[in-house]
Amino acid sequence: MNAQTVLIIDDEPDIRELLEITLLRMGLETASASNAGEAYAALQARPYDLCLTDMRLPDGNGLDIITHAQQHHPHMPIAMITAYGCIETATQALKAGAFDFITKPMDLKRLRELVQSALQQSARQASAVNHDNPLLGDSVPMQQLRQQIDKLARSLAPVHISGESGTGKEVVAREIHQHGNRANLPFVPVNCGAIPAELMESEFFGHKKGSFTGAHDNKPGLFQAAHGGSLFLDEVADLPLHMQVKLLRALQEKAVRPLGSQQELPVDVRILSATHKDLAAEVAAGRFRQDLYYRLNVIEVRVPSLRERGDDVLLLARVFLQRLCAGNRPVRLSPEALDTLRQHDFPGNVRELENMLERAYTLCDHDLIRPHDLQLQGGRPLHDPVAHSGPAISEVPGLPVHSRTDRLEQAERTLLQLTLEQTGHDHKAAATQLGLSLRSLRYRLRTLGID
């Protein structure tokens, strides 16, 4: 697990050195700044578990830094270093949001107690963010998204969630459901692009026994399964037009008719939908019904891409790596690897980051993930399936190409399927042929939905 890191802000070299030695002996990592300008740059460059700042700086003061930290790093405790007897200054710092204060000359025992207490608070907040709220991130777009979710959870209006592939649209849908008054009732997700067209009506509305060949029993549909709760229509833009008509009727009538039945069944569901496509553009192109668009898009929520979220990528990377290390060998990210992650544009967003760290953790042969373990080269993984022999991306049959990320996933899926066929579906042999570990291969098969 990565050591906790403290940012020290003080213009006196002796004070900085004293603090650094004390904190290093406590097993902590440190970074330092000698003025406000350096402090703001350091805070922008990476997240910290704690900040210690002097009140008086050559180009500013500690109160301004506390205010900045409250706005941009609300989960980071910050303590003020003040001159002895400056109670008014200490009170101002506490009102501005400081965790605590310590006076010069510093009592080292008091300093260690303050640091331990602050880091315990930081760990509790991180635990609450990382586990109680799956929407991780301190960036402004993520704070705004969580505020939107809180408001939407109190409503029953249909919500359409837009955003690029891999941003976590289903996570947002689940959060809207979990924070609302239907939280104890079903949340039923369905990938509209994964259901064969000939089975869609049966899947959505159910069927009666004997209504078609193979219908050996009565089967409730997705609407009935979600009755009282929420139905999440993922990749709703992939619905064929004939199904859009039937879905619109079900939404308007609040009832469904199972195949083979003469009676409609009333259903009470809240509709949440999502797509990575521009739904308005799909309407303009005639691929999506305008009346259904207005029915679904009563309120729209946009999930930000990872490249819009600043240093959230570092927080996410640490959380994902902690999960991978839980109960297994400890591995941490080197500062150079963190810089590499910060500079990558992540066209595949959070999903790409998670997959990248899973691969790096699985394949690295030491306890430190370095830049080359992330397998990036010019923004593309070194083991990118495009580099292997096989069909060109544009030649992958039967799969629509919507984005660079989709093309990479399609090419990887094709490569894996071809390799499995060549090895007689022997996973161990396929992993060896692809240069992957068996665990990594199975993870990719699960992620891509390959049986």
Side-chain angles (χ1 to χ4, degrees):
M1 186 177 296
N2 295 333
Q4 292 174 297
T5 307
V6 182
L7 175 63
I8 300 166
I9 308 170
D10 201 297
D11 62 332
E12 296 182 47
D14 291 345
I15 295 293
R16 291 200 304 273
E17 184 177 4
L18 174 64
L19 290 170
E20 286 172 355
I21 292 173
T22 303
L23 297 177
L24 287 171
R25 287 177 177 172
M26 295 176 68
L28 304 172
E29 293 182 1
T30 65
S32 62
S34 61
N35 56 54
E38 291 179 3
Y40 292 130
L43 288 169
Q44 185 176 4
R46 59 163 296 176
Y48 293 91
D49 298 293
L50 170 64
C51 177
L52 302 173
T53 181
D54 193 11
M55 175 59 189
R56 298 183 182 277
L57 297 168
D59 56 346
N61 64 69
L63 290 176
D64 291 337
I65 292 175
I66 292 173
T67 301
H68 174 85
Q70 286 291 300
Q71 294 174 348
H72 301 283
H73 311 280
H75 299 293
M76 178 188 69
I78 184 166
M80 176 71 76
I81 303 170
T82 70
Y84 178 76
C86 294
I87 300 300
E88 182 178 349
T89 301
T91 302
Q92 288 178 322
L94 294 174
K95 287 182 177 180
F99 170 78
D100 205 341
F101 68 93
I102 188 168
T103 59
K104 298 178 182 179
M106 277 180 276
D107 180 333
L108 294 185
K109 180 182 178 182
R110 160 71 179 145
L111 171 65
R112 287 191 289 268
E113 290 174 350
L114 182 152
V115 169
Q116 289 173 346
S117 179
L119 291 176
Q120 287 173 0
Q121 172 180 299
S122 179
R124 284 194 299 270
Q125 289 179 337
S127 176
V129 172
N130 296 345
H131 300 290
D132 296 341
N133 192 332
L135 290 172
L136 304 175
D138 295 329
S139 63
V140 173
M142 290 305 292
Q143 292 180 42
Q144 293 173 340
L145 178 60
R146 287 192 288 267
Q147 291 171 359
Q148 280 185 293
I149 288 172
D150 288 340
K151 293 177 182 178
L152 295 175
R154 299 191 290 267
S155 166
L156 292 179
V159 176
H160 180 65
I161 305 164
S162 62
E164 298 176 9
S165 293
T167 50
K169 296 185 289 295
E170 182 173 340
V171 176
V172 171
R174 287 184 182 275
E175 284 295 285
I176 293 173
H177 174 79
Q178 289 296 330
H179 284 76
N181 58 9
R182 299 187 173 214
N184 296 324
L185 295 165
F187 174 88
V188 178
V190 53
N191 187 329
C192 298
I195 304 175
E198 63 273 15
L199 297 179
M200 275 193 173
E201 190 170 356
S202 172
E203 287 295 313
F204 275 97
F205 308 134
H207 62 251
K208 304 291 287 184
K209 179 179 178 180
S211 57
F212 56 87
T213 302
H216 302 299
D217 296 291
N218 293 338
K219 177 189 173 183
L222 295 165
F223 270 86
Q224 294 99 308
H227 182 69
S230 302
L231 179 62
F232 173 54
L233 305 175
D234 197 10
E235 298 303 345
V236 70
D238 291 342
L239 282 173
L241 286 170
H242 79 275
M243 193 61 203
Q244 293 178 29
V245 176
K246 296 179 182 296
L247 177 61
L248 178 63
R249 175 174 172 78
L251 298 180
Q252 289 175 333
E253 302 299 326
K254 297 184 178 180
V256 298
R257 178 179 295 172
L259 284 176
S261 175
Q262 300 301 314
Q263 294 182 332
E264 288 191 332
L265 302 175
V267 288
D268 172 23
V269 296
R270 183 182 189 181
I271 298 295
L272 306 172
S273 62
T275 182
H276 70 279
K277 298 179 182 178
D278 184 336
L279 206 53
E282 294 296 300
V283 172
R287 292 186 292 266
F288 201 85
R289 291 182 61 95
Q290 187 176 52
D291 44 9
L292 180 58
Y293 169 77
Y294 287 126
R295 176 69 63 171
L296 296 175
N297 197 34
V298 175
I299 301 174
E300 182 172 1
V301 175
R302 180 181 172 275
V303 185
S305 63
L306 189 52
R307 61 185 170 275
E308 298 174 67
R309 296 172 53 183
D311 279 350
D312 280 357
V313 64
L314 303 183
L315 169 63
L316 290 167
R318 289 191 172 94
V319 171
F320 292 153
L321 192 57
Q322 286 173 7
R323 291 174 183 170
L324 290 168
C325 293
N328 300 306
R329 63 188 176 105
V331 173
R332 59 191 179 91
L333 288 156
S334 70
E336 295 79 12
L338 290 170
D339 286 339
T340 300
L341 291 176
R342 188 187 292 113
Q343 294 167 18
H344 186 55
D345 62 357
F346 286 101
N349 292 292
V350 178
R351 185 188 299 131
E352 179 186 352
L353 173 62
E354 189 169 15
N355 291 346
M356 180 188 298
L357 290 172
E358 167 81 11
R359 181 174 60 242
Y361 177 82
T362 302
L363 299 179
C364 76
D365 55 3
H366 37 72
D367 62 357
L368 189 68
I369 293 177
R370 297 183 174 89
H372 69 269
D373 295 312
L374 299 173
Q375 300 187 356
L376 291 176
Q377 189 175 39
R380 173 175 286 178
L382 295 179
H383 289 294
D384 190 330
V386 176
H388 294 272
S389 60
I393 293 174
S394 59
E395 296 170 356
V396 178
L399 291 172
V401 177
H402 302 300
S403 69
R404 178 175 179 270
T405 304
D406 292 335
R407 293 197 298 272
L408 291 177
E409 287 188 357
Q410 291 163 14
E412 183 177 8
R413 184 180 288 106
T414 300
L415 174 65
L416 291 173
Q417 289 171 336
L418 287 173
T419 306
L420 287 171
E421 290 175 7
Q422 292 169 2
T423 59
H425 291 269
D426 183 331
H427 285 191
K428 188 174 182 180
T432 300
Q433 184 170 321
L434 291 166
L436 300 172
S437 69
L438 184 59
R439 177 183 174 188
S440 184
L441 173 67
R442 287 175 174 166
Y443 176 82
R444 296 306 302 148
L445 294 176
R446 256 193 341 268
T447 300
L448 295 170
I450 300 174
D451 295 330

